[in-house]
Amino acid sequence: MNLIIHGHHLEVTPALRDYVQDKMIRVKRHFDHVIEANVLLSVDKLDQKAEINLRVSGNTIYVESVEENMYAAIDTLIDKLDRQVLRHKDRIRDHHPQEAIKRQQPEDLPQ
């Protein structure tokens, strides 16, 4: 996974970078087919905003979070992202494998 962290009106310190990398392990544990993650951390007056564009095979997941503290914004961002990733994973998985097997087998024809 390629992780890119940007700052807008904010210097991305090594502590912030490490915090984001540690939190992204949680997402990678649930879904390891992530191609790239672009994280944007920004400050607008009193609001601390964290955004992420997560590229997975066949889709892009966008999540944003606004809080008064940057670490809290990152925490809520990862929580939202984790829910979205799990939902994406459920969508790509076949939910009815037994029905697929039944369709492949020829039905008994009366003779």
Side-chain angles (χ1 to χ4, degrees):
M1 172 177 67
N2 190 13
L3 179 64
I4 301 168
I5 303 172
H6 300 284
H8 185 69
H9 299 291
L10 171 77
E11 180 182 344
V12 179
T13 62
L16 276 174
R17 185 175 304 278
D18 291 340
Y19 192 73
V20 171
Q21 288 174 347
D22 289 343
K23 292 293 181 172
M24 285 299 292
I25 291 172
R26 178 174 150 195
V27 174
K28 192 171 182 180
R29 181 177 51 212
H30 287 153
F31 189 71
D32 59 350
H33 293 78
V34 177
I35 298 169
E36 182 179 60
N38 286 324
V39 179
L40 177 64
L41 306 174
S42 62
V43 176
D44 185 30
K45 295 188 180 180
L46 297 178
D47 293 332
Q48 311 283 323
K49 186 175 182 180
E51 304 174 39
I52 188 165
N53 277 322
L54 191 73
R55 286 188 44 221
V56 294
S57 58
N59 201 1
T60 301
I61 300 172
Y62 173 78
V63 180
E64 71 178 25
S65 174
V66 179
E67 296 286 336
E68 292 181 4
N69 182 356
M70 183 57 75
Y71 290 99
I74 293 169
D75 285 339
T76 56
L77 175 83
I78 296 299
D79 290 341
K80 290 179 183 181
L81 181 64
D82 195 33
R83 285 192 302 267
Q84 291 287 329
V85 165
L86 288 175
R87 201 166 98 188
H88 173 72
K89 186 178 176 180
D90 283 342
R91 285 180 181 166
I92 62 174
R93 189 172 29 171
D94 186 15
H95 292 284
H96 307 287
Q98 296 299 324
E99 290 179 15
I101 292 171
K102 287 179 185 176
R103 278 187 248 136
Q104 290 177 355
Q105 296 175 350
E107 294 185 22
D108 293 287
L109 298 173
Q111 294 182 8

